[in-house]
């Protein structure tokens, strides 16, 4: 494994981001190969932007169970091991607060009205509520209410209803990815601002398997100006490292 890691590190040190455009990542070495692909995409960015990406990159690396792989990347990027946080996410905190003040009927009523705490981050708070649901029946009620509030697919853009709809789509897609529900995932992604995003492609492959086929896309779409592409790849593949494949 150490040899494989070192080979990967050498590749992105010595070659451009498109050097391995045609290569997919398969088998036991998928994780090492995919991380190589992601950092290869980062390597075309200016050094200051690479520095800003090092910590979130290592946070994803830390999700791997491969000790040698984690050690090699920490050494290469010279960044301390990410600190594990136990802070409760904002949306979870707000969902618990809403539930403490009433039952699930009240939770959904307040969500529909958009009153506090749903006046800020309603899709995320409702998604957190779905994760806190005591059973599948309640979870489905929350999810279907999210679809109801999202409404039919909007084609407009900007600070209008489509803005929150895209947030609902993102939150619903993440819930479906976590639940390994492909049909639900495709339904949700259609509501997002960018259904063809690399993030959603990687999340979909968590359900269907073999995310390594996207390695060439990660390298090919490298952006020398913006960190968004790399951050999207990290969010997408991070879910696979954290949760594993569904099948």
């Amino acid at each position: 494994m150490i040899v494989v890691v070192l080979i990967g590190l050498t590749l992105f040190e010595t070659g451009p981001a498109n050097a391995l455009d045609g290569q997919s990542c398969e088998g036991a070495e998928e994780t090492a190969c995919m991380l190589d692909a992601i950092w290869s995409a980062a390597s075309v960015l200016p050094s200051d932007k690479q520095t800003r990406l090092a910590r979130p990159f290592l946070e994803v690396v830390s999700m791997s169970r491969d000790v040698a792989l984690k050690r090699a990347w920490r050494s290469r990027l010279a960044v301390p091991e990410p600190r594990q946080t136990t802070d409760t996410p904002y949306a979870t905190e707000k969902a618990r607060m809403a539930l403490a003040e009433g039952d699930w009927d009240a939770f959904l009523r307040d969500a529909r009205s958009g009153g506090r705490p749903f006046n800020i981050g309603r899709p995320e708070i409702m998604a957190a509520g779905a994760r806190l649901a005591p059973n599948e029946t309640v979870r489905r009620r929350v999810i279907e209410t999210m679809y109801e509030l999202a409404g039919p697919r909007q084609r407009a853009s900007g600070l209008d209803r489509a803005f929150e709809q895209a947030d609902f789509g993102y939150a619903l897609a993440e819930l479906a990815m976590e639940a390994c529900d492909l049909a639900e995932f495709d339904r949700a992604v259609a509501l997002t601002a960018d259904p063809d995003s690399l993030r959603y492609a990687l999340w979909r492959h968590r359900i269907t398997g073999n995310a390594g086929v996207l390695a060439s896309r990660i390298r090919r779409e490298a952006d020398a100006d913006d960190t968004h592409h790399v951050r999207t790849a990290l969010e997408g593949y991070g879910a696979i490292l954290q949760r594993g494949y569904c099948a």
Side-chain angles (χ1 to χ4, degrees):
M1 173 58 73
I2 293 176
V3 172
V4 171
V5 172
L6 292 177
I7 290 173
L9 295 177
T10 301
L11 284 172
F12 73 71
E13 282 182 335
T14 60
N18 63 355
L20 298 174
D21 267 357
Q23 178 181 319
S24 63
C25 298
E26 301 175 359
E29 306 306 332
E30 179 198 287
T31 298
C33 179
M34 287 292 280
L35 292 173
D36 279 346
I38 294 171
W39 194 256
S40 176
S43 70
V44 305
L45 289 159
S47 59
D48 60 324
K49 292 185 177 181
Q50 289 186 45
T51 299
R52 291 201 296 272
L53 284 171
R55 189 169 295 279
F57 179 83
L58 285 180
E59 287 175 359
V60 171
V61 173
S62 70
M63 298 175 188
S64 169
R65 297 179 181 179
D66 189 327
V67 176
L69 181 68
K70 291 188 283 190
R71 185 185 303 117
W73 277 108
R74 285 199 302 271
S75 175
R76 168 68 180 90
L77 299 181
V79 175
E81 185 171 2
R83 181 177 62 88
Q84 299 297 319
T85 178
T86 57
D87 295 341
T88 302
Y90 169 86
T92 302
E93 182 179 305
K94 294 300 181 182
R96 286 175 176 165
M97 182 179 76
L99 288 167
E101 296 176 356
D103 58 13
W104 285 98
D105 288 335
F107 180 91
L108 294 177
R109 183 191 64 236
D110 293 344
R112 285 191 175 95
S113 70
R116 291 188 177 184
F118 297 96
N119 57 319
I120 299 175
R122 176 164 65 169
E124 294 81 3
I125 296 171
M126 293 187 73
R131 294 184 181 97
L132 295 171
N135 54 57
E136 183 60 21
T137 299
V138 173
R139 180 179 178 276
R140 287 307 313 175
R141 284 184 64 198
V142 176
I143 287 174
E144 289 305 323
T145 302
M146 292 173 72
Y147 277 111
E148 173 191 325
L149 292 172
R153 175 79 168 116
Q154 301 290 308
R155 297 300 177 185
S157 60
L159 297 176
D160 54 14
R161 185 181 173 193
F163 186 84
E164 188 181 42
Q165 181 180 84
D167 288 346
F168 270 119
Y170 172 93
L172 286 162
E174 187 171 27
L175 286 170
M177 176 272 292
E178 292 169 358
C180 299
D181 189 330
L182 183 59
E184 191 79 13
F185 181 82
D186 289 342
R187 178 188 180 192
V189 166
L191 297 174
T192 65
D194 187 7
D196 297 324
S197 164
L198 178 61
R199 173 201 301 114
Y200 300 126
L202 285 162
W203 282 2
R204 196 176 197 278
H205 273 281
R206 178 179 179 253
I207 302 172
T208 62
N210 194 22
V213 298
L214 294 172
S216 59
R217 176 180 172 183
I218 292 171
R219 297 185 182 98
R220 183 175 65 252
E221 295 180 1
D223 187 334
D225 299 314
D226 194 340
T227 63
H228 176 74
H229 172 67
V230 174
R231 292 183 186 278
T232 298
L234 290 173
E235 184 179 7
Y237 196 64
I240 295 173
L241 281 184
Q242 183 180 38
R243 299 174 179 277
Y245 284 108
C246 295

